[in-house]
């Protein structure tokens, strides 16, 4: 991928000074991107003196660039074992190399052995995608179409514009200027019209963006702002500008349709790539390699006001960014599409999709699978609804076999949104009484058969996030030592509603649900009354019985004895029968609403047998004193 090569060149250019200071011919060849010659020269130097770890890594990178992954992985592993100088980006290359030589199980073992040193997001992303790639591919590869407008040079970075697309290319511009690392023309922006067959025709240099002798690439057009965003070389008075280390970086510029140009992200020592402006949020997304990078290039965004930068760059975090390179962000229908060369893909750069949640978190990025992705580099994915609204279509770039040049543009049509649909849930496990977060609580997702699909542990503040492939029904459980169990089942409709909310689960301690009364341990409830002389349910009774059901659901092993009492008014036999009918009504309601015979030992009506005050037969008492004797106890055994 030529644009990836440019990224590497700009990232490593400051090291040229290092290479020249060492006065090693092999180093000079390596930093000049002459990898095959560097391999030969490093081998010669090894015969005379051992290579430094820096040089061993250069040699490993050279092997990696030439596709000799067995040699590359051997060297990466050697340096990783003996030293700590390996960058996270080279760590990714080491695992990529192992994956390339069919050592995926070895990669998994390596990840497990380093689990305490790697981010939990990286481990979870890897595990999820490894499992995903084992699922038989359902994509129809015939949806991918090569395009006749590709050139022998690199063609990539498509972007929708009016009735066609803009794209980047290093095809000849009839200019004497040549970009030395590739030997081809500097990148330029072109336009191609989309015809009725969704093919690209009538390619021409895009003249609405002013010409430059140097790089001009990866355009994006915002219809909301009527503005072009694109990258270009840092220049001044028509000449390239360099930082103190001799590096020329790429900046992001904008051009409004009235012809006003301005740089909006510019740093002589930092390159910016692949701008994408989200019209909905007015965020400008891009790729860059700042100091807080998780690997190579990471994805960032800045807040804007009508395209004017209003914040410092914000890293999308370890759920999206990895030890590899992430580029080409694109948002469609609430999902972020991007490309990454992280080690757990199909090979090279792959296209991933992550759903953007309500709390601005991201679901696990899922590989779009074979067809869209290949063993080569696949990147620059864009998608839109078909004009007749019966499907989806779009474009991406790839250097897969069968193309015309290093990178080629491909078109696709889909019946539905690409990528595995997932169910992602986030929130907190809290103490039901004081709403404090519970650390270390187990959160589980179970399928319809009751099998545990995934389990995570809540963080210090009780927070959790869990994700699985989509299914028709899921049961969510939370539990913690000394606390109740939370368990609720949702169908697909309910799953859709809750996954975009902060989902909090309250757990109770048994002592918060019980109290001592009449020298018995009973459930803590508000006192309730049946209608006078009746044993049928009413709203007040039902409200309190729902609390009983909730308590038993939280503590499934709980066993209850239902005791119903009346006051002394009326005959003893009538009161006995009435209280037994009320006890039976309560038992039947509980059994028909989820409890079982294990939870209810017995339901007994005692009538006026156990008066708690002096209001016995024949005694005169006010009504509120008689009411003290009319009660129902749920005795915990």
């Amino acid at each position: 991928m030529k644009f990836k090569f440019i990224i590497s060149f700009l990232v490593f250019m400051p090291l040229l000074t290092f290479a020249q200071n060492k006065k090693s011919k092999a180093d000079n060849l390596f930093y000049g991107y002459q990898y095959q010659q560097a391999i030969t020269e490093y081998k010669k130097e090894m015969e005379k003196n051992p290579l430094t770890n820096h040089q061993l890594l250069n040699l490993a990178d050279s092997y990696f660039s030439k596709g000799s992954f067995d040699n590359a992985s051997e060297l990466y592993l050697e340096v990783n074992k003996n030293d700590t100088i390996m960058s996270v980006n080279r760590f990714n290359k080491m695992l990529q190399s192992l994956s390339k030589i069919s050592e995926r199980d070895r990669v998994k073992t390596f990840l497990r052995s380093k689990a305490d040193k790697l981010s939990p997001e990286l481990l979870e992303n890897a595990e999820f995608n490894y499992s995903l790639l084992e699922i038989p591919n359902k994509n129809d590869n015939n949806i991918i179409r090569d395009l006749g407008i590709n050139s022998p040079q690199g063609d990539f970075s498509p972007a929708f514009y009016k009735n066609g697309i803009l794209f980047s290319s290093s095809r000849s511009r009839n200019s004497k200027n040549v970009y030395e690392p590739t030997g081809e023309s500097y990148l330029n922006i072109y336009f191609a019209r989309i015809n009725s067959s969704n093919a690209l025709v009538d390619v021409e240099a895009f003249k609405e963006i002013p010409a430059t002798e140097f790089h001009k690439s990866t355009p994006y057009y915002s219809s909301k702002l009527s503005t072009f965003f694109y990258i270009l070389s840092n220049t001044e008075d028509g000449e390239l500008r360099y930082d103190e280390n001799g590096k020329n970086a790429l900046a992001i510029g904008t051009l409004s349709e009235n012809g006003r140009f301005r740089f909006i992200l510019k740093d002589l020592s930092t390159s910016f790539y692949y701008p994408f402006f989200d019209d909905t949020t007015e965020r400008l997304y891009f790729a860059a390699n700042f100091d807080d990078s998780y690997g190579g290039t990471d994805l960032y965004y800045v807040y804007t006001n009508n395209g004017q930068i209003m914040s410092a760059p914000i890293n999308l975090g370890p759920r999206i960014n990895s030890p590899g390179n992430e580029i080409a962000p694109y948002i469609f229908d609430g999902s972020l599409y991007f490309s990454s060369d992280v080690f757990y893909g199909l090979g090279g750069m792959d296209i991933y999709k992550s759903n953007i949640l309500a709390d601005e978190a991201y679901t696990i990025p899922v590989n779009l699978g074979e067809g869209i992705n290949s063993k080569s580099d696949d990147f620059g994915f864009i998608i839109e609804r078909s004009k007749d609204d019966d499907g989806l279509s779009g474009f991406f770039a790839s250097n897969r076999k069968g193309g015309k040049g290093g990178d080629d543009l491909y078109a696709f049509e889909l019946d539905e949104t690409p990528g595995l649909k997932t169910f992602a849930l986030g929130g907190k496990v809290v103490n039901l009484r004081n709403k404090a977060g519970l650390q270390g609580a187990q959160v589980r997702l179970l399928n319809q058969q009751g099998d545990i699909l995934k389990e995570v542990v809540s963080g210090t503040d009780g927070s959790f996030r869990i994700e699985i492939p989509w299914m028709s029904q899921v049961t969510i459980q939370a539990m913690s030592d000394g606390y109740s169990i939370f368990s609720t089942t949702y169908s697909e409709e309910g799953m859709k509603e809750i996954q975009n909310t902060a989902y909090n689960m309250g757990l109770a301690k048994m002592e918060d649900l019980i109290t001592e009364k009449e020298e018995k341990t009973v459930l803590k409830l508000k006192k309730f009354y049946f209608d006078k002389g009746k044993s049928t349910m009413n709203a007040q009774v039902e409200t309190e019985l729902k609390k009983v059901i909730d308590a038993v659901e939280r503590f499934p092993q709980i066993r209850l004895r239902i005791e119903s009492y009346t006051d002394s008014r009326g005959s003893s036999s009538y009161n006995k029968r009435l209280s037994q009918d009320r006890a039976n009504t309560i038992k039947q309601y509980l059994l028909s609403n989820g409890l079982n015979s294990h939870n209810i030992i017995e339901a007994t009506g005692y009538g006026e047998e156990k008066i708690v005050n002096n209001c016995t037969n024949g005694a005169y008492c006010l009504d509120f004193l008689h009411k003290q004797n009319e009660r129902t106890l749920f005795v915990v055994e």
Side-chain angles (χ1 to χ4, degrees):
M1 189 203 330
K2 289 182 175 60
F3 192 66
K4 186 177 174 184
F5 180 87
I6 292 170
I7 291 175
S8 300
F9 178 78
L10 291 166
V11 168
F12 286 115
M13 193 165 183
L15 298 175
L16 285 169
T17 304
F18 167 80
Q20 292 163 355
N21 289 342
K22 297 294 289 185
K23 292 185 174 62
S24 163
K25 182 178 179 181
D27 288 337
N28 287 328
L29 289 167
F30 171 76
Y31 291 116
Y33 302 94
Q34 301 179 61
Y35 295 120
Q36 190 58 58
Q37 296 93 317
I39 291 170
T40 302
E41 201 61 37
Y42 276 128
K43 285 181 176 179
K44 291 179 182 177
E45 292 181 11
M46 288 174 69
E47 295 175 359
K48 299 176 183 178
N49 293 298
L51 297 181
T52 66
N53 280 337
H54 282 288
Q55 291 175 313
L56 287 173
L57 288 174
N58 291 348
L59 178 55
D61 285 349
S62 299
Y63 279 126
F64 186 90
S65 297
K66 300 304 293 183
S68 181
F69 300 113
D70 50 351
N71 288 322
S73 61
E74 183 179 340
L75 288 168
Y76 287 132
L77 287 168
E78 179 182 343
V79 176
N80 182 72
K81 180 175 63 177
N82 297 327
D83 211 314
T84 58
I85 67 167
M86 184 181 290
S87 67
V88 289
N89 192 245
R90 274 169 162 154
F91 171 82
N92 183 64
K93 284 185 177 180
M94 177 182 73
L95 298 185
Q96 275 185 296
S97 300
L98 291 172
S99 297
K100 289 276 191 180
I101 57 176
S102 302
E103 299 240 16
R104 183 164 286 176
D105 288 338
R106 190 175 179 186
V107 174
K108 293 179 182 178
T109 300
F110 188 88
L111 290 175
R112 285 192 292 269
S113 70
K114 300 290 185 181
D116 60 330
K117 296 181 175 63
L118 300 173
S119 76
E121 292 88 353
L122 176 65
L123 296 172
E124 188 176 22
N125 288 0
E127 178 187 6
F128 196 94
N129 278 278
Y130 278 140
S131 300
L132 169 63
L133 293 175
E134 292 172 3
I135 299 173
N137 179 41
K138 296 181 181 179
N139 285 342
D140 180 3
N141 289 346
N142 293 327
I143 62 173
I144 311 300
R145 294 187 292 104
D146 193 359
L147 297 169
I149 58 99
N150 289 311
S151 70
Q153 291 76 35
D155 301 294
F156 59 96
S157 184
F160 293 115
Y161 177 65
K162 294 186 177 180
N163 64 337
I165 67 164
L166 303 171
F167 68 96
S168 305
S169 180
S170 58
R171 60 186 67 192
S172 175
R173 290 196 274 165
N174 298 320
S175 169
K176 294 181 180 180
N177 280 2
V178 172
Y179 184 54
E180 291 183 6
T182 65
E184 298 178 356
S185 295
Y186 278 91
L187 294 169
N188 196 19
I189 297 172
Y190 291 80
F191 175 79
R193 182 171 58 84
I194 302 175
N195 66 13
S196 58
S197 302
N198 205 37
L200 298 181
V201 296
D202 303 333
V203 177
E204 60 182 3
F206 190 63
K207 295 183 174 59
E208 291 190 40
I209 297 178
T212 172
E213 293 297 319
F214 307 107
H215 286 308
K216 181 176 62 175
S217 181
T218 63
Y220 180 79
Y221 178 73
S222 166
S223 56
K224 179 178 182 177
L225 301 181
S226 299
T227 296
F228 299 98
F229 294 79
Y230 61 101
I231 68 162
L232 66 165
S233 301
N234 277 318
T235 60
E236 186 174 350
D237 297 328
E239 298 294 331
L240 292 175
R241 290 193 62 194
Y242 299 91
D243 69 4
E244 65 273 13
N245 293 314
K247 175 181 177 181
N248 173 255
L250 298 172
I252 294 179
T254 62
L255 180 73
S256 63
E257 288 199 329
N258 62 15
R260 182 192 175 200
F261 170 82
R262 58 193 172 106
F263 284 107
I264 58 170
L265 286 171
K266 182 177 182 180
D267 185 322
L268 291 182
S269 299
T270 302
S271 281
F272 302 91
Y273 315 99
Y274 281 97
F276 170 83
F277 185 81
D278 183 13
D279 285 350
T280 303
T281 63
E282 292 202 15
R283 290 177 178 176
L284 174 64
Y285 292 79
F286 57 90
N289 189 349
F290 291 118
D291 291 339
D292 65 348
S293 165
Y294 289 89
T297 56
D298 279 4
L299 298 184
Y300 296 81
Y301 69 83
V302 289
Y303 289 103
T304 77
N305 182 4
N306 288 323
Q308 181 71 40
I309 304 299
M310 303 297 289
S311 75
I314 299 168
N315 191 298
L316 266 60
R319 179 60 72 199
I320 299 298
N321 292 313
S322 76
N325 293 287
E326 281 71 45
I327 61 171
Y330 187 86
I331 293 174
F332 174 75
D333 238 7
S335 296
L336 170 69
Y337 296 87
F338 66 97
S339 294
S340 174
D341 64 0
V342 66
F343 60 85
Y344 48 74
L346 290 175
M349 279 259 168
D350 279 357
I351 300 164
Y352 291 83
K353 169 191 171 184
S354 174
N355 297 326
I356 304 172
L357 301 177
D359 58 356
E360 298 191 359
Y362 299 90
T363 62
I364 294 173
V366 295
N367 192 296
L368 295 193
E370 291 186 62
I372 295 290
N373 288 320
S374 68
K375 292 184 178 180
S376 301
D377 292 318
D378 309 288
F379 61 106
F381 180 92
I382 61 173
I383 187 171
E384 67 177 1
R385 299 203 180 281
S386 301
K387 292 180 175 59
D388 52 12
D389 206 29
D390 65 348
L392 300 156
S393 62
F395 301 89
F396 66 96
S398 177
N399 64 354
R400 62 187 64 189
K401 291 181 179 179
K404 284 187 180 179
D407 299 317
D408 290 306
L409 294 174
Y410 291 82
F412 64 85
E413 290 90 32
L414 300 170
D415 292 330
E416 56 186 23
T417 304
L420 180 74
K421 186 178 180 181
T422 67
F423 172 66
L425 193 68
K428 285 187 176 183
V429 182
V430 300
N431 184 315
L432 195 60
R433 180 174 57 82
N434 58 20
K435 306 303 185 227
L438 293 178
Q439 180 181 2
Q442 294 173 297
V443 178
R444 295 174 175 173
L445 295 182
L446 290 74
N447 63 14
Q448 203 161 356
Q449 291 72 42
D451 302 320
I452 297 175
L453 302 170
K454 193 162 187 179
E455 183 174 14
V456 297
V457 176
S458 62
T460 55
D461 61 349
S463 61
F464 73 92
R465 185 164 294 283
I466 193 167
E467 188 168 358
I468 58 169
W470 190 267
M471 52 188 50
S472 60
Q473 179 179 301
V474 68
T475 296
I476 304 165
Q477 289 185 347
M479 58 197 73
S480 184
D481 290 343
Y483 285 84
S484 61
I485 293 175
F486 177 98
S487 184
T488 306
T489 300
Y490 292 93
S491 62
E492 286 193 85
E493 194 60 37
M495 291 163 65
K496 291 175 185 176
E497 290 179 6
I498 66 172
Q499 79 164 349
N500 285 319
T501 64
Y503 191 80
N504 294 339
M505 295 179 282
L507 304 187
K509 282 190 173 182
M510 178 61 83
E511 54 261 39
D512 293 332
L513 299 179
I514 59 176
T515 188
E516 293 298 316
K517 186 176 290 188
E518 301 177 31
E519 298 182 350
K520 300 171 185 177
T521 301
V522 300
L523 288 183
K524 191 184 296 182
L525 300 171
K526 289 182 180 179
K527 198 166 185 182
F528 58 87
Y529 299 98
F530 285 85
D531 294 337
K532 185 174 180 60
K534 294 183 179 180
S535 60
T536 53
M537 294 287 293
N538 62 34
Q540 185 186 53
V541 175
E542 187 174 13
T543 296
E544 296 308 304
L545 293 189
K546 286 180 178 178
K547 296 178 183 177
V548 176
I549 295 168
D550 181 68
V552 175
E553 286 178 346
R554 294 178 183 279
F555 293 93
Q557 300 307 313
I558 199 171
R559 305 189 73 196
L560 300 174
R561 192 183 305 276
I562 302 170
E563 298 181 358
S564 182
Y565 301 92
T566 67
D567 59 33
S568 63
R569 291 175 290 189
S571 69
S572 296
S573 60
Y574 173 80
N575 287 335
K576 178 81 168 177
R577 186 171 60 254
L578 178 62
S579 64
Q580 186 61 55
D581 289 344
R582 288 173 172 175
N584 291 340
T585 295
I586 291 171
K587 179 179 179 180
Q588 186 56 45
Y589 179 86
L590 296 178
L591 290 176
S592 63
N593 284 276
L595 274 62
N596 56 52
S597 56
H598 167 80
N599 301 122
I600 303 175
I601 301 172
E602 65 180 20
T604 304
Y606 290 94
E608 58 184 81
E609 290 181 18
K610 298 183 180 181
I611 298 298
V612 296
N613 54 26
N614 295 322
C615 297
T616 56
N617 280 332
Y620 172 77
C621 289
L622 296 174
D623 185 65
F624 84 91
L625 293 173
H626 279 299
K627 284 285 190 181
Q628 290 176 359
N629 293 310
E630 185 180 343
R631 65 204 186 278
T632 298
L633 301 179
F634 294 86
V635 182
V636 179
E637 295 292 328

